[in-house]
Amino acid sequence: MKKSVLTRYRVMAYITAVLLVLLTVGVIGKRLLDLDGFDSFVTVVGIAHGWLYVLYLIFAFDLGSKMKMPVGRQLWVLLAGTIPTAAFFVERRVTREAEPLIAQDAGTTPAAA
């Protein structure tokens, strides 16, 4: 497995997670607190998260298939982009599991964390 596969997944995981946290804050501000100005914020962030989540799905599926993840685990990785802050934790765990595979393919030993 190439390092670029993991890198694209990690970038999209962070972007998706940050946008989802922003969207959650925006929805709370708009719906629960009735704050002015959150309508357009929620719209813009919601659309951005929706489109970028599709890219996240593609990259996460690509990574999962190359890592030969079990179906249940891969579904959890795919759904992590829909639960606020979950993608941060899932990304960290997937990265720890993928780094030895990348090092193995490169012919070196994994670096100590």
Side-chain angles (χ1 to χ4, degrees), residues 2-109:
K2 294 182 180 180
K3 187 168 178 65
S4 63
V5 174
L6 178 62
T7 302
R8 338 182 264 218
Y9 162 74
R10 291 184 74 190
V11 168
M12 288 312 301
Y14 279 115
I15 290 171
T16 302
V18 168
L19 285 175
L20 188 56
V21 168
L22 289 174
L23 183 61
T24 302
V25 169
V27 168
I28 290 170
K30 177 182 174 182
R31 302 281 186 205
L32 297 179
L33 304 176
D34 291 324
L35 297 175
D36 293 334
F38 275 84
D39 289 334
S40 60
F41 177 79
V42 168
T43 301
V44 170
V45 173
I47 290 171
H49 172 72
W51 282 104
L52 292 173
Y53 179 67
V54 172
L55 284 176
Y56 169 81
L57 288 175
I58 293 167
F59 294 153
F61 182 79
D62 184 38
L63 177 71
S65 62
K66 288 184 175 156
M67 286 180 63
K68 297 182 173 114
M69 280 186 193
V71 174
R73 178 127 172 92
Q74 193 164 11
L75 285 174
W76 172 238
V77 172
L78 295 174
L79 289 175
T82 63
I83 303 168
T85 69
F88 292 118
F89 300 105
V90 171
E91 178 275 329
R92 209 48 239 142
R93 189 166 191 171
V94 167
T95 299
R96 273 189 240 129
E97 293 174 6
E99 285 175 341
L101 297 173
I102 293 169
Q104 181 183 14
D105 286 350
T108 62
T109 58

